[in-house]
Amino acid sequence: MMRKLIGTCLLLMIFLFAEAQTNVFLIGRTLGEKVIANGDTLRVYGFAPSLSTHPPIPAPLIEANQGDSVHIDFWNVSQLHHHTIHLHGLDVDQANDGVPMLSFSVDHMEHGWYHFEAPHAGTYLYHCHVGSTLHLQAGMYGPIIIRPSDGSNTTWDGGYAFDTETLLFMSELDTFWHTDSILDHEHIDGAVHDTLLVPKYNPDYFLINGLSDQQLEDSVELNSKTNYVNYFRLVNIGYCTNKVIFPSSLGARIVDSDGRPLPIEEFSDTIEVYPGERYGVLVESSVPILDSIEVHYFDMMTSELKNIQHVKVDIRVPNQVEEFENVIDFSIAPNPVDQDVRISFDLLKETNLSLRIVSIDGKLMLSEFPRVYEQGKHTLVLSTNEYASGQYILSLSDGNNVTSKSFIKK
Amino acid sequence: MKRALLTLVCLLGFQTIFFAGNVSDTIYINSGQGLFVNGKQMPCKGFNSTPTYENRNAQLSVGIMDTLVLTIVNNDTILHGFDIRGISGYKDTLQQGDTLEVTFHSSTPRVCIYYDHINYPNNAYMGLAGILAVGANANTYYWNIKDHQSDWNDSIASGGVVDWLDYYPDYFTINGLSNPDINSDTTARVEGNIGDTILIFMANTGQAEHSIHFHGYHCEILYSTSSSMHAGRIKDTFPLKRMEGYLLRLVPHQTGEYPVHDHNLLSITGGGLYPFGMFLTILIQ
Ligand SMILES: [Cu+2]
Ligand SMILES: [Cu+2]
């Protein structure tokens, strides 16, 4: 009887003190490939979610709720190079800060573990801090989004509710920096500083979410409805300054920066974003709009305008977009699932879809960047081998509509 | 009660008069050979606190109650100017050997940039631009941020012409120093304890733009030269256009050694070598 009582108490304590935990697994690579807008393939460094995929640029989104305990298992598979993960803006302690000479760096075929308690809701980023001028340009950067404690579509705890969310993660590519002679830089093991020769920077591709020009126009856009609140997360991780210019009819207002609400909101169609900065911007319109957001890239030495990229804005009155509302109907099989789960859907038109899986107790299992799927039938196969038994919610979103279905892992 | 209040008001009034005072300082416009990271040398100019050239510009400071009486001596062989950016009435010139006296007062804490407006931006670029801090406390630090394209210093010093649309600096300094030397400058290297109120007077007096990022901490903007909208913002990255600055308040919540660096990562180089640029650390016990 007594033993049973102690057991119950222990269980209760575990329940009371258990905080949501987010586990992230990333692999550091230096032999990645990326197709750029002219169709060429460039060699890149990056963070890959698995050994069988090239590291995406930007790296996989890390997502957690405020207060969550986030654990990153970082495995370095990079031949001679060592890397780190710096959690930019999260104010983590020195041990987890990812600066090689002040924290630790992760050698080839080694693991490094990073841990932090997700602080204020907001937009952050992560990147390698080894030979950072070269390793960032090579591709080792990705976004981090900390959501409010309840995981809701709100800017922060008690902040603004929004209907759509768009990440614009700006950077550049200098294709010369992606040649073997630059990427295979000398590396002295154990040196306090890695001394690197940095070539002259002359970027020739100007990226948003890793894409430029036609690639960008094909896959990043704001598709929304009149009177929806649309939240933009602007991030600059390049070496140029950005001016993000919203159509004035959207009434853009800046509400947060660097993971903190602004004390006074600023109404401005033009938002300057300098390297390392983040801004949260709310836009909405009561009338339909077909226009574009301009992103300007300026040289920081001369202030010369180097490039302009466009992000399409398509805001319609609800009945005009309803025809698309059911395009993301999907099926899950088998259900219950033992190992692999198949997600099947049939698209009436080319659609930008993102996928999320959350356990019934709110733990984020998977969060994929939006990807373009062609019109027609698709089947995605996902392994659930690492999932604990229980119920999970799988959501597909096209940016406007989210369809969620549950499945049981045996 | 009324009487007590009156006494208090009188006392406060007396205190104001008692503590408000004049501070005197003298700065010299010098020309010389600047010593940079890894032994690099290039011709430079500066507003220094002695008649001998050094990379660091004089760090001027005045309390919010006080008046600064500043004497400027032109120790160089050519015409120079003196101005305080964003405040009218200071613009003046000094011939070789001339002395100029100005008085300055501000009733609010702020960061100001004093500089040579003659032949702008060339003289300022050669080094003639420094920080005037209003409202410094016992935990105050100065970050005077500059950039140089070393061969341009040679050509400007010998009367050559440069095209600013081709600017590509190769040396990046805080108070005239780069990583790792900058960490031994006690006026730049923040050292403190949890809960301290640390003030950082930071200005970009170079001709490139910068974006200063803190690891470990967010800071509050108390004053920005470029927009009153910035005050009160709590950020980890601070964009700096040319000849703009911030007064930041840092109240550390954790111990450790954390970098602060330009997130235009091209500026973490010196002579094309990483990491000999704009990078220092903060140490909190
Ligand atoms: Cu790396
Ligand atoms: Cu960073």
Side-chain angles (χ1 to χ4, degrees):
Chain A
M1 176 62 193
M2 191 62 187
R3 185 183 282 176
K4 200 171 172 187
L5 196 67
I6 291 171
T8 313
C9 284
L10 270 174
L11 262 176
L12 198 66
M13 277 172 70
I14 291 168
F15 178 74
L16 282 175
F17 291 101
E19 54 184 354
Q21 185 169 316
T22 301
N23 293 310
V24 179
F25 177 64
L26 293 169
I27 308 172
R29 305 307 309 265
T30 52
L31 290 172
E33 288 180 358
K34 174 178 174 54
V35 178
I36 54 175
N38 71 350
D40 286 355
T41 299
L42 281 189
R43 180 179 157 198
V44 296
Y45 287 12
F47 296 103
S50 75
L51 268 184
S52 57
T53 56
H54 281 296
I57 292 182
L61 172 68
I62 296 177
E63 225 178 342
N65 293 347
Q66 184 173 314
D68 283 2
S69 179
V70 181
H71 294 263
I72 302 174
D73 175 359
F74 173 50
W75 185 31
N76 182 13
V77 186
S78 291
Q79 287 69 42
L80 292 172
H81 299 286
H82 62 210
H83 303 293
T84 65
I85 293 178
H86 166 56
L87 298 153
H88 177 117
L90 288 163
D91 298 344
V92 300
D93 62 14
Q94 186 181 335
N96 289 285
D97 194 37
V99 177
M101 65 280 193
L102 298 171
S103 310
F104 61 89
S105 69
V106 184
D107 287 331
H108 176 50
M109 293 314 285
E110 300 282 332
H111 284 260
W113 284 271
Y114 295 90
H115 165 251
F116 65 95
E117 304 291 322
H120 307 254
T123 311
Y124 302 87
L125 50 116
Y126 65 102
H127 60 78
C128 177
H129 222 289
V130 174
S132 50
T133 312
L134 288 185
H135 285 213
L136 257 85
Q137 167 57 205
M140 304 195 81
Y141 53 82
I144 299 176
I145 293 177
I146 307 295
R147 300 194 174 281
S149 313
D150 62 359
S152 62
N153 280 348
T154 316
T155 49
W156 55 82
D157 281 1
Y160 297 98
F162 53 81
D163 301 294
T164 77
E165 178 183 10
T166 308
L167 175 72
L168 301 183
F169 199 82
M170 281 95 59
S171 61
E172 312 95 33
L173 276 180
D174 180 335
T175 49
F176 175 68
W177 288 43
H178 289 261
T179 50
D180 290 346
S181 63
I182 307 295
L183 293 177
D184 292 328
H185 63 80
E186 294 269 329
H187 160 62
I188 308 146
D189 263 332
V192 174
H193 292 298
D194 287 316
T195 300
L196 301 175
L197 194 60
V198 174
K200 193 165 177 179
Y201 190 57
N202 192 13
D204 39 4
Y205 287 88
F206 298 83
L207 311 179
I208 297 173
N209 300 355
L211 305 167
S212 75
D213 308 291
Q214 196 59 48
Q215 287 181 325
L216 176 68
E217 280 163 42
D218 289 347
S219 52
V220 181
E221 61 180 44
L222 171 66
N223 261 307
S224 187
K225 298 177 188 177
T226 50
N227 299 316
Y228 267 29
V229 178
N230 309 288
Y231 184 45
F232 277 85
R233 298 176 186 269
L234 312 179
V235 186
N236 179 357
I237 193 56
Y239 309 160
C240 288
T241 61
N242 296 130
K243 242 179 213 166
V244 181
I245 305 169
F246 288 88
S248 58
S249 50
L250 287 174
R253 64 186 215 268
I254 313 169
V255 294
D256 64 83
S257 179
D258 296 0
R260 301 290 187 280
L262 295 192
I264 302 166
E265 290 170 11
E266 188 176 347
F267 284 83
S268 178
D269 302 327
T270 300
I271 295 113
E272 291 188 321
V273 191
Y274 276 51
E277 280 196 293
R278 293 88 63 208
Y279 286 95
V281 180
L282 292 174
V283 303
E284 55 182 298
S285 173
S286 56
V287 294
I289 292 178
L290 186 60
D291 205 331
S292 69
I293 299 162
E294 288 188 3
V295 180
H296 294 204
Y297 296 75
F298 293 91
D299 187 304
M300 291 188 77
M301 311 307 187
T302 64
S303 295
E304 180 195 357
L305 175 64
K306 305 285 280 187
N307 193 267
I308 301 175
Q309 296 289 321
H310 294 89
V311 174
K312 194 171 130 194
V313 174
D314 187 354
I315 295 179
R316 305 181 190 193
V317 291
N319 61 2
Q320 283 174 278
V321 281
E322 255 148 29
E323 55 180 303
F324 300 126
E325 277 199 348
N326 295 323
V327 296
I328 48 171
D329 191 25
F330 63 91
S331 63
I332 301 177
N335 192 3
V337 57
D338 197 9
Q339 289 188 338
D340 287 352
V341 63
R342 290 190 311 281
I343 302 136
S344 305
F345 49 92
D346 191 357
L347 297 173
L348 298 176
K349 63 161 197 140
E350 185 182 276
T351 309
N352 204 9
L353 285 183
S354 60
L355 192 153
R356 238 168 105 94
I357 299 177
V358 180
S359 69
I360 196 72
D361 56 358
K363 183 174 159 191
L364 184 68
M365 307 301 293
L366 179 79
S367 178
E368 281 198 336
F369 252 110
R371 257 170 58 194
V372 176
Y373 293 88
E374 289 172 8
Q375 180 192 351
K377 291 194 164 125
H378 297 265
T379 298
L380 309 178
V381 181
L382 291 172
S383 164
T384 63
N385 283 348
E386 313 216 320
Y387 289 27
S389 300
Q391 191 180 352
Y392 293 85
I393 312 289
L394 190 154
S395 310
L396 274 182
S397 165
D398 68 354
N400 288 322
N401 304 286
V402 184
T403 310
S404 300
K405 290 190 176 177
S406 73
F407 67 91
I408 306 281
K409 161 78 178 178
K410 277 197 256 189
Chain B
M1 180 61 201
K2 211 169 193 178
R3 189 155 162 189
L5 201 67
L6 197 70
T7 316
L8 189 70
V9 170
C10 285
L11 264 172
L12 278 174
F14 176 72
Q15 274 201 330
T16 309
I17 297 160
F18 183 77
F19 285 112
N22 283 356
V23 211
S24 300
D25 220 327
T26 303
I27 56 176
Y28 300 84
I29 299 175
N30 294 323
S31 221
Q33 197 67 9
L35 182 60
F36 289 78
V37 70
N38 295 331
K40 177 71 185 177
Q41 290 194 34
M42 61 185 106
C44 290
K45 293 179 192 294
F47 287 106
N48 304 135
S49 44
T50 73
T52 309
Y53 174 77
E54 56 171 333
N55 279 6
R56 177 210 298 249
N57 278 262
Q59 294 163 345
L60 302 178
S61 174
V62 60
I64 47 174
M65 301 291 198
D66 299 340
T67 298
L68 172 69
V69 181
L70 181 66
T71 306
I72 305 121
V73 181
N74 183 357
N75 210 16
D76 196 12
T77 53
I78 56 167
L79 175 80
H80 284 288
F82 179 87
D83 195 8
I84 299 176
R85 198 178 174 280
I87 305 178
S88 59
Y90 283 100
K91 200 165 274 183
D92 212 335
T93 56
L94 300 93
Q95 297 289 347
Q96 176 184 1
D98 269 4
T99 295
L100 175 72
E101 190 180 285
V102 299
T103 58
F104 174 90
H105 171 84
S106 166
S107 54
T108 51
R110 63 194 291 188
V111 58
C112 296
I113 295 172
Y114 67 91
Y115 72 108
D116 179 354
H117 58 90
I118 299 292
N119 201 15
Y120 189 82
N122 292 20
N123 287 0
Y125 161 80
M126 291 298 278
L128 286 163
I131 291 174
L132 164 52
V134 183
N137 69 2
N139 297 315
T140 287
Y141 298 89
Y142 297 83
W143 294 351
N144 186 3
I145 286 165
K146 288 184 190 290
D147 38 77
H148 294 281
Q149 181 170 341
S150 47
D151 56 343
W152 282 27
N153 282 55
D154 293 321
S155 60
I156 291 175
S158 55
V161 177
V162 295
D163 180 357
W164 288 100
L165 288 177
D166 289 334
Y167 187 45
Y168 197 84
D170 52 355
Y171 286 86
F172 303 90
T173 60
I174 298 173
N175 299 350
L177 297 166
S178 306
N179 182 43
D181 310 318
I182 183 64
N183 259 5
S184 34
D185 176 353
T186 54
T187 67
R189 209 278 175 111
V190 173
E191 284 193 41
N193 299 296
I194 288 179
D196 282 355
T197 296
I198 293 163
L199 299 180
I200 299 165
F201 292 81
M202 157 164 109
N204 175 13
T205 64
Q207 283 302 312
E209 299 193 306
H210 300 282
S211 189
I212 304 300
H213 171 63
F214 284 69
H215 288 225
Y217 311 98
H218 276 61
C219 296
E220 182 183 351
I221 299 175
L222 296 184
Y223 177 83
S224 160
T225 59
S226 60
S227 168
S228 59
M229 291 295 292
H230 294 161
R233 290 187 182 176
I234 296 170
K235 288 172 61 64
D236 55 64
T237 307
F238 301 90
L240 273 172
K241 293 180 193 291
R242 293 170 191 86
M243 301 298 272
E244 301 289 356
Y246 296 103
L247 166 53
L248 301 182
R249 174 166 56 202
L250 164 64
V251 182
H253 66 284
Q254 61 180 350
T255 60
E257 184 177 358
Y258 299 93
V260 178
H261 61 86
D262 192 345
H263 226 290
N264 172 6
L265 299 179
L266 301 170
S267 300
I268 310 188
T269 60
L273 286 178
Y274 177 93
F276 300 105
M278 218 173 268
F279 181 105
L280 77 165
T281 66
I282 282 180
L283 182 64
I284 302 300
Q285 311 278 2

PDB file of all heavy atoms in Angstrom, chain B residues 173-198:
ATOM      1  N   THR B 173      38.661  48.410 -36.695  1.00  0.00           N
ATOM      2  CA  THR B 173      39.148  48.634 -35.334  1.00  0.00           C
ATOM      3  C   THR B 173      38.063  49.164 -34.398  1.00  0.00           C
ATOM      4  O   THR B 173      37.077  49.768 -34.830  1.00  0.00           O
ATOM      5  CB  THR B 173      40.307  49.655 -35.334  1.00  0.00           C
ATOM      6  OG1 THR B 173      39.825  50.901 -35.873  1.00  0.00           O
ATOM      7  CG2 THR B 173      41.486  49.169 -36.161  1.00  0.00           C
ATOM      8  N   ILE B 174      38.283  48.904 -33.120  1.00  0.00           N
ATOM      9  CA  ILE B 174      37.515  49.531 -32.038  1.00  0.00           C
ATOM     10  C   ILE B 174      38.554  50.261 -31.193  1.00  0.00           C
ATOM     11  O   ILE B 174      39.534  49.641 -30.753  1.00  0.00           O
ATOM     12  CB  ILE B 174      36.755  48.478 -31.211  1.00  0.00           C
ATOM     13  CG1 ILE B 174      35.755  47.738 -32.099  1.00  0.00           C
ATOM     14  CG2 ILE B 174      36.046  49.123 -30.022  1.00  0.00           C
ATOM     15  CD1 ILE B 174      35.072  46.554 -31.432  1.00  0.00           C
ATOM     16  N   ASN B 175      38.384  51.565 -30.999  1.00  0.00           N
ATOM     17  CA  ASN B 175      39.382  52.401 -30.303  1.00  0.00           C
ATOM     18  C   ASN B 175      40.771  52.225 -30.928  1.00  0.00           C
ATOM     19  O   ASN B 175      41.788  52.239 -30.226  1.00  0.00           O
ATOM     20  CB  ASN B 175      39.439  52.072 -28.801  1.00  0.00           C
ATOM     21  CG  ASN B 175      38.105  52.323 -28.115  1.00  0.00           C
ATOM     22  OD1 ASN B 175      37.200  52.911 -28.709  1.00  0.00           O
ATOM     23  ND2 ASN B 175      37.978  51.883 -26.874  1.00  0.00           N
ATOM     24  N   GLY B 176      40.837  51.988 -32.225  1.00  0.00           N
ATOM     25  CA  GLY B 176      42.116  51.867 -32.922  1.00  0.00           C
ATOM     26  C   GLY B 176      42.770  50.504 -32.831  1.00  0.00           C
ATOM     27  O   GLY B 176      43.884  50.322 -33.305  1.00  0.00           O
ATOM     28  N   LEU B 177      42.083  49.534 -32.216  1.00  0.00           N
ATOM     29  CA  LEU B 177      42.665  48.209 -32.025  1.00  0.00           C
ATOM     30  C   LEU B 177      41.773  47.123 -32.627  1.00  0.00           C
ATOM     31  O   LEU B 177      40.561  47.289 -32.723  1.00  0.00           O
ATOM     32  CB  LEU B 177      42.835  47.922 -30.528  1.00  0.00           C
ATOM     33  CG  LEU B 177      43.793  48.849 -29.763  1.00  0.00           C
ATOM     34  CD1 LEU B 177      43.601  48.675 -28.267  1.00  0.00           C
ATOM     35  CD2 LEU B 177      45.245  48.559 -30.174  1.00  0.00           C
ATOM     36  N   SER B 178      42.393  46.009 -33.015  1.00  0.00           N
ATOM     37  CA  SER B 178      41.640  44.870 -33.555  1.00  0.00           C
ATOM     38  C   SER B 178      41.848  43.653 -32.660  1.00  0.00           C
ATOM     39  O   SER B 178      42.720  43.660 -31.789  1.00  0.00           O
ATOM     40  CB  SER B 178      42.137  44.548 -34.968  1.00  0.00           C
ATOM     41  OG  SER B 178      42.073  45.700 -35.786  1.00  0.00           O
ATOM     42  N   ASN B 179      41.090  42.604 -32.921  1.00  0.00           N
ATOM     43  CA  ASN B 179      41.272  41.334 -32.222  1.00  0.00           C
ATOM     44  C   ASN B 179      42.677  40.804 -32.526  1.00  0.00           C
ATOM     45  O   ASN B 179      43.073  40.825 -33.683  1.00  0.00           O
ATOM     46  CB  ASN B 179      40.207  40.342 -32.724  1.00  0.00           C
ATOM     47  CG  ASN B 179      40.279  39.005 -32.024  1.00  0.00           C
ATOM     48  OD1 ASN B 179      40.451  38.930 -30.831  1.00  0.00           O
ATOM     49  ND2 ASN B 179      40.171  37.934 -32.796  1.00  0.00           N
ATOM     50  N   PRO B 180      43.462  40.343 -31.559  1.00  0.00           N
ATOM     51  CA  PRO B 180      43.125  40.150 -30.141  1.00  0.00           C
ATOM     52  C   PRO B 180      43.505  41.339 -29.247  1.00  0.00           C
ATOM     53  O   PRO B 180      43.199  41.318 -28.065  1.00  0.00           O
ATOM     54  CB  PRO B 180      43.958  38.926 -29.765  1.00  0.00           C
ATOM     55  CG  PRO B 180      45.172  39.031 -30.630  1.00  0.00           C
ATOM     56  CD  PRO B 180      44.736  39.694 -31.909  1.00  0.00           C
ATOM     57  N   ASP B 181      44.185  42.363 -29.796  1.00  0.00           N
ATOM     58  CA  ASP B 181      44.698  43.462 -28.953  1.00  0.00           C
ATOM     59  C   ASP B 181      43.589  44.244 -28.255  1.00  0.00           C
ATOM     60  O   ASP B 181      43.795  44.801 -27.176  1.00  0.00           O
ATOM     61  CB  ASP B 181      45.525  44.437 -29.808  1.00  0.00           C
ATOM     62  CG  ASP B 181      46.561  43.700 -30.642  1.00  0.00           C
ATOM     63  OD1 ASP B 181      47.191  42.783 -30.094  1.00  0.00           O
ATOM     64  OD2 ASP B 181      46.702  44.024 -31.839  1.00  0.00           O
ATOM     65  N   ILE B 182      42.400  44.289 -28.875  1.00  0.00           N
ATOM     66  CA  ILE B 182      41.319  45.104 -28.347  1.00  0.00           C
ATOM     67  C   ILE B 182      40.906  44.660 -26.933  1.00  0.00           C
ATOM     68  O   ILE B 182      40.471  45.468 -26.128  1.00  0.00           O
ATOM     69  CB  ILE B 182      40.110  45.082 -29.326  1.00  0.00           C
ATOM     70  CG1 ILE B 182      38.982  45.981 -28.851  1.00  0.00           C
ATOM     71  CG2 ILE B 182      39.604  43.688 -29.600  1.00  0.00           C
ATOM     72  CD1 ILE B 182      39.333  47.420 -28.802  1.00  0.00           C
ATOM     73  N   ASN B 183      41.117  43.355 -26.629  1.00  0.00           N
ATOM     74  CA  ASN B 183      40.715  42.871 -25.303  1.00  0.00           C
ATOM     75  C   ASN B 183      41.601  43.402 -24.183  1.00  0.00           C
ATOM     76  O   ASN B 183      41.262  43.278 -23.015  1.00  0.00           O
ATOM     77  CB  ASN B 183      40.707  41.338 -25.278  1.00  0.00           C
ATOM     78  CG  ASN B 183      39.293  40.798 -25.406  1.00  0.00           C
ATOM     79  OD1 ASN B 183      38.351  41.554 -25.594  1.00  0.00           O
ATOM     80  ND2 ASN B 183      39.151  39.499 -25.299  1.00  0.00           N
ATOM     81  N   SER B 184      42.763  43.998 -24.517  1.00  0.00           N
ATOM     82  CA  SER B 184      43.573  44.573 -23.437  1.00  0.00           C
ATOM     83  C   SER B 184      43.334  46.076 -23.283  1.00  0.00           C
ATOM     84  O   SER B 184      43.997  46.730 -22.490  1.00  0.00           O
ATOM     85  CB  SER B 184      45.062  44.237 -23.621  1.00  0.00           C
ATOM     86  OG  SER B 184      45.388  44.202 -24.973  1.00  0.00           O
ATOM     87  N   ASP B 185      42.368  46.614 -24.030  1.00  0.00           N
ATOM     88  CA  ASP B 185      41.973  48.019 -23.843  1.00  0.00           C
ATOM     89  C   ASP B 185      40.886  48.060 -22.775  1.00  0.00           C
ATOM     90  O   ASP B 185      39.740  47.665 -23.012  1.00  0.00           O
ATOM     91  CB  ASP B 185      41.460  48.588 -25.176  1.00  0.00           C
ATOM     92  CG  ASP B 185      40.943  50.014 -25.041  1.00  0.00           C
ATOM     93  OD1 ASP B 185      40.854  50.524 -23.905  1.00  0.00           O
ATOM     94  OD2 ASP B 185      40.616  50.607 -26.086  1.00  0.00           O
ATOM     95  N   THR B 186      41.243  48.545 -21.576  1.00  0.00           N
ATOM     96  CA  THR B 186      40.286  48.509 -20.469  1.00  0.00           C
ATOM     97  C   THR B 186      39.116  49.473 -20.672  1.00  0.00           C
ATOM     98  O   THR B 186      38.112  49.381 -19.982  1.00  0.00           O
ATOM     99  CB  THR B 186      40.979  48.851 -19.127  1.00  0.00           C
ATOM    100  OG1 THR B 186      41.640  50.109 -19.289  1.00  0.00           O
ATOM    101  CG2 THR B 186      41.986  47.785 -18.752  1.00  0.00           C
ATOM    102  N   THR B 187      39.242  50.412 -21.627  1.00  0.00           N
ATOM    103  CA  THR B 187      38.107  51.301 -21.890  1.00  0.00           C
ATOM    104  C   THR B 187      37.118  50.658 -22.865  1.00  0.00           C
ATOM    105  O   THR B 187      36.019  51.172 -23.067  1.00  0.00           O
ATOM    106  CB  THR B 187      38.554  52.661 -22.474  1.00  0.00           C
ATOM    107  OG1 THR B 187      39.100  52.454 -23.778  1.00  0.00           O
ATOM    108  CG2 THR B 187      39.590  53.325 -21.594  1.00  0.00           C
ATOM    109  N   ALA B 188      37.532  49.532 -23.488  1.00  0.00           N
ATOM    110  CA  ALA B 188      36.655  48.858 -24.449  1.00  0.00           C
ATOM    111  C   ALA B 188      36.158  47.520 -23.911  1.00  0.00           C
ATOM    112  O   ALA B 188      35.002  47.154 -24.118  1.00  0.00           O
ATOM    113  CB  ALA B 188      37.394  48.620 -25.762  1.00  0.00           C
ATOM    114  N   ARG B 189      37.039  46.783 -23.238  1.00  0.00           N
ATOM    115  CA  ARG B 189      36.724  45.428 -22.815  1.00  0.00           C
ATOM    116  C   ARG B 189      35.844  45.478 -21.556  1.00  0.00           C
ATOM    117  O   ARG B 189      36.313  45.814 -20.469  1.00  0.00           O
ATOM    118  CB  ARG B 189      38.028  44.691 -22.521  1.00  0.00           C
ATOM    119  CG  ARG B 189      37.977  43.200 -22.733  1.00  0.00           C
ATOM    120  CD  ARG B 189      37.374  42.453 -21.545  1.00  0.00           C
ATOM    121  NE  ARG B 189      37.242  41.046 -21.843  1.00  0.00           N
ATOM    122  CZ  ARG B 189      37.972  40.093 -21.262  1.00  0.00           C
ATOM    123  NH1 ARG B 189      38.847  40.384 -20.349  1.00  0.00           N
ATOM    124  NH2 ARG B 189      37.772  38.826 -21.609  1.00  0.00           N
ATOM    125  N   VAL B 190      34.572  45.130 -21.725  1.00  0.00           N
ATOM    126  CA  VAL B 190      33.620  45.186 -20.612  1.00  0.00           C
ATOM    127  C   VAL B 190      33.967  44.100 -19.604  1.00  0.00           C
ATOM    128  O   VAL B 190      34.085  42.924 -19.951  1.00  0.00           O
ATOM    129  CB  VAL B 190      32.171  44.996 -21.115  1.00  0.00           C
ATOM    130  CG1 VAL B 190      31.208  44.893 -19.938  1.00  0.00           C
ATOM    131  CG2 VAL B 190      31.770  46.120 -22.052  1.00  0.00           C
ATOM    132  N   GLU B 191      34.178  44.499 -18.345  1.00  0.00           N
ATOM    133  CA  GLU B 191      34.337  43.539 -17.259  1.00  0.00           C
ATOM    134  C   GLU B 191      33.395  43.970 -16.151  1.00  0.00           C
ATOM    135  O   GLU B 191      33.390  45.150 -15.783  1.00  0.00           O
ATOM    136  CB  GLU B 191      35.773  43.534 -16.740  1.00  0.00           C
ATOM    137  CG  GLU B 191      36.726  42.811 -17.669  1.00  0.00           C
ATOM    138  CD  GLU B 191      38.082  42.532 -17.011  1.00  0.00           C
ATOM    139  OE1 GLU B 191      38.107  42.146 -15.819  1.00  0.00           O
ATOM    140  OE2 GLU B 191      39.086  42.713 -17.689  1.00  0.00           O
ATOM    141  N   GLY B 192      32.610  43.039 -15.654  1.00  0.00           N
ATOM    142  CA  GLY B 192      31.657  43.432 -14.622  1.00  0.00           C
ATOM    143  C   GLY B 192      31.070  42.241 -13.914  1.00  0.00           C
ATOM    144  O   GLY B 192      31.572  41.120 -14.023  1.00  0.00           O
ATOM    145  N   ASN B 193      30.014  42.516 -13.190  1.00  0.00           N
ATOM    146  CA  ASN B 193      29.349  41.486 -12.395  1.00  0.00           C
ATOM    147  C   ASN B 193      27.868  41.445 -12.747  1.00  0.00           C
ATOM    148  O   ASN B 193      27.327  42.415 -13.287  1.00  0.00           O
ATOM    149  CB  ASN B 193      29.491  41.810 -10.905  1.00  0.00           C
ATOM    150  CG  ASN B 193      30.949  41.834 -10.480  1.00  0.00           C
ATOM    151  OD1 ASN B 193      31.640  40.813 -10.530  1.00  0.00           O
ATOM    152  ND2 ASN B 193      31.431  43.008 -10.117  1.00  0.00           N
ATOM    153  N   ILE B 194      27.244  40.327 -12.391  1.00  0.00           N
ATOM    154  CA  ILE B 194      25.805  40.194 -12.597  1.00  0.00           C
ATOM    155  C   ILE B 194      25.094  41.366 -11.914  1.00  0.00           C
ATOM    156  O   ILE B 194      25.429  41.718 -10.783  1.00  0.00           O
ATOM    157  CB  ILE B 194      25.306  38.852 -12.030  1.00  0.00           C
ATOM    158  CG1 ILE B 194      25.789  37.710 -12.937  1.00  0.00           C
ATOM    159  CG2 ILE B 194      23.794  38.825 -11.901  1.00  0.00           C
ATOM    160  CD1 ILE B 194      25.380  36.342 -12.483  1.00  0.00           C
ATOM    161  N   GLY B 195      24.160  41.977 -12.613  1.00  0.00           N
ATOM    162  CA  GLY B 195      23.364  43.050 -12.027  1.00  0.00           C
ATOM    163  C   GLY B 195      23.961  44.443 -12.171  1.00  0.00           C
ATOM    164  O   GLY B 195      23.287  45.431 -11.892  1.00  0.00           O
ATOM    165  N   ASP B 196      25.233  44.538 -12.588  1.00  0.00           N
ATOM    166  CA  ASP B 196      25.839  45.864 -12.802  1.00  0.00           C
ATOM    167  C   ASP B 196      25.076  46.623 -13.881  1.00  0.00           C
ATOM    168  O   ASP B 196      24.544  46.021 -14.813  1.00  0.00           O
ATOM    169  CB  ASP B 196      27.292  45.731 -13.305  1.00  0.00           C
ATOM    170  CG  ASP B 196      28.264  45.386 -12.186  1.00  0.00           C
ATOM    171  OD1 ASP B 196      27.831  45.344 -11.016  1.00  0.00           O
ATOM    172  OD2 ASP B 196      29.453  45.144 -12.503  1.00  0.00           O
ATOM    173  N   THR B 197      25.048  47.948 -13.770  1.00  0.00           N
ATOM    174  CA  THR B 197      24.533  48.763 -14.872  1.00  0.00           C
ATOM    175  C   THR B 197      25.734  49.255 -15.665  1.00  0.00           C
ATOM    176  O   THR B 197      26.490  50.111 -15.210  1.00  0.00           O
ATOM    177  CB  THR B 197      23.706  49.944 -14.346  1.00  0.00           C
ATOM    178  OG1 THR B 197      22.564  49.403 -13.672  1.00  0.00           O
ATOM    179  CG2 THR B 197      23.236  50.838 -15.486  1.00  0.00           C
ATOM    180  N   ILE B 198      25.918  48.651 -16.827  1.00  0.00           N
ATOM    181  CA  ILE B 198      27.080  48.946 -17.661  1.00  0.00           C
ATOM    182  C   ILE B 198      26.619  49.815 -18.818  1.00  0.00           C
ATOM    183  O   ILE B 198      25.616  49.506 -19.473  1.00  0.00           O
ATOM    184  CB  ILE B 198      27.700  47.616 -18.165  1.00  0.00           C
ATOM    185  CG1 ILE B 198      28.296  46.843 -16.976  1.00  0.00           C
ATOM    186  CG2 ILE B 198      28.741  47.877 -19.256  1.00  0.00           C
ATOM    187  CD1 ILE B 198      28.566  45.394 -17.257  1.00  0.00           C
TER     188      ILE B 198
END
